[in-house]
Amino acid sequence: MGRHREFDVDTALDAAMRVFWRKGYEGASYADLTAATGVERPALYAAFGNKEALFRRALARYYERYLDYLPEALAQPTARRVAAHLLHGAVDLNTRYPDHTGCLGINGVLAGSDDAEPVRQALIDARAAGEALLRERFDRARAEGDLPETARSDVLAAFLTAVLHGMAVQAKAGFSRDMLMAVAEHALSTWPTGGSAPSDPAS
Amino acid sequence: MGRHREFDVDTALDAAMRVFWRKGYEGASYADLTAATGVERPALYAAFGNKEALFRRALARYYERYLDYLPEALAQPTARRVAAHLLHGAVDLNTRYPDHTGCLGINGVLAGSDDAEPVRQALIDARAAGEALLRERFDRARAEGDLPETARSDVLAAFLTAVLHGMAVQAKAGFSRDMLMAVAEHALSTWPTGGSAPSDPAS
DNA sequence: TCGTTACGATAACGATCGGTATGGAATTGG
DNA sequence: CCAATTCCATACCGATCGTTATCGTAACGA
């Protein structure tokens, strides 16, 4: 009894998910959502509840649809291959779609609405500037012999900032200082040695 | 001629910076800013311009005031000590103030307004759940001998997720796939070996 | 065919957003 | 002491936010 829904719920959810992926939670307005889904506002409310519920549904769908490499990775036979599968899967996902860079779970609150774009760009620029300083410093280090000739300073700088930003996210999630310090120590444990200067175990 | 300003601009800027640190750019409303600074809205506009200009000033102040370990690190004699100083400085900053966890530059757009808190918490929980899965997987790996007895599965899981999230941030900043892959490879280069199983160079 | 049901579309709700016009008070230079 | 100037405070601006009431109508079971 009663009329049936005209739009496909799954299709609409996919479209909504892509909006959240691109603009984040607060950055995605209902104007964006209705435009992307082709579904009017009250119909979205009827089908999904409020905005938060819609976002949670979209997040769940993201996990099962795009984070499928996570259970794949966990099924790998060795820990190293688990890590490798995870890292490569993340690289792939982060760069597969040119207009959905990064990961919904992070962009979800790292991205913002459209008119916050200049601010976001300023932050990105500041980041890039810091990373460039690091890269130049590592270039000098290689020239001075305390990095091996084969070391890639751009990779080292990118790796370091990746760990730094990952730690910042973790701190926001409530990680203890000890845990963060252990993460930092592990990151250091991979530091290349073998230049003309001896490896340096200090602090 | 004319009356002088009653409030101290630097003090107000510090207070505003702390608000942005906690709530992000869009999450910080003028209601928050006036409450924190004790300065009325028109006075903030007169002193700093609009919200974006105020944020940029706050960001600059954050760099010179709290990211002072960055030039310190760059002045270290070896690349490894540069990295160490940077990592430890970041750990310190991220955990020094209980109510300003993380880094302004990342929270700046990773945090949001107060009523987005449940969504943020859902994301944090999802992240923690994934990390717990990783930790359990590494526990099993140690039991099976493909991780050394001394390996700390919690640290490995935290390190991996830190790199993953750092890469996601970098992808949002426009990093190339090759660069991200190089970062991933470097992160893998530090993977502990020495369990009963041989090290596994695959994939 | 008829009554019921739930649809889709429009428009409006109160609240809050960033940003400003308006006065009255206060402090300055002359 | 006066006039000019700049302050602070209140109140309001239009726009947009998430959310919902209203309403005509299309699709169902009987």
Side-chain angles (χ1 to χ4, degrees), chain A residues 26 76 79 109 137 146 190 200, chain B residues 76 79 81 109 137 146 190:
Chain A
E26 295 205 295
Q76 294 297 310
V109 249
R137 178 63 182 81
D146 86 277
T190 81
D200 178 4
Chain B
Q76 294 296 310
R81 292 184 72 153
V109 247
R137 178 65 183 80
D146 88 277
T190 78

Side-chain angles (χ1 to χ4, degrees), chain A residues 43-132:
Chain A
L44 285 181
Y45 275 91
F48 300 105
N50 63 5
K51 190 185 181 185
E52 179 175 340
L54 174 55
F55 179 78
R56 297 184 116 100
R57 289 281 301 272
L59 180 62
R61 188 169 204 79
Y62 176 78
Y63 264 77
E64 68 190 26
R65 193 88 121 193
Y66 293 94
L67 262 44
D68 54 338
Y69 66 83
L70 201 145
E72 279 176 23
L74 291 171
Q76 294 297 310
T78 71
R80 194 177 205 282
R81 293 184 70 153
V82 170
H85 196 100
L86 218 54
L87 287 165
H88 297 155
V91 167
D92 211 52
L93 177 61
N94 282 333
T95 58
R96 191 182 311 157
Y97 310 101
D99 52 344
H100 301 88
T101 51
C103 130
L104 183 143
I106 296 192
N107 295 354
V109 249
L110 191 146
S113 72
D114 280 338
D115 48 342
E117 180 57 33
V119 173
R120 218 160 24 246
Q121 196 57 48
L123 291 171
I124 289 177
D125 292 346
R127 243 185 62 90
E131 196 167 316

Side-chain angles (χ1 to χ4, degrees), chain B residues 13-121:
Chain B
L13 184 54
D14 278 340
M17 184 200 63
R18 282 190 288 271
V19 173
F20 284 127
W21 196 342
R22 233 179 306 122
K23 310 188 120 192
Y25 173 64
E26 295 206 294
S29 70
Y30 266 96
D32 300 322
L33 293 169
T34 56
T37 58
V39 176
E40 292 302 324
R41 218 176 301 205
L44 285 180
Y45 275 91
F48 301 105
N50 64 3
K51 190 185 179 185
E52 179 174 341
L54 174 55
F55 180 78
R56 297 184 116 102
R57 289 281 302 270
L59 180 62
R61 190 170 202 77
Y62 176 78
Y63 265 77
E64 70 190 25
R65 192 88 122 194
Y66 293 94
L67 262 42
D68 53 338
Y69 66 84
L70 202 145
E72 278 177 24
L74 291 171
Q76 294 296 310
T78 70
R80 193 177 207 282
R81 292 184 72 153
V82 170
H85 197 98
L86 217 54
L87 287 165
H88 298 154
V91 167
D92 211 50
L93 177 60
N94 283 332
T95 59
R96 191 183 311 158
Y97 311 102
D99 52 343
H100 302 90
T101 52
C103 130
L104 183 143
I106 295 192
N107 296 354
V109 247
L110 190 146
S113 72
D114 279 339
D115 48 343
E117 181 56 33
V119 172
R120 217 159 25 242
Q121 196 58 50

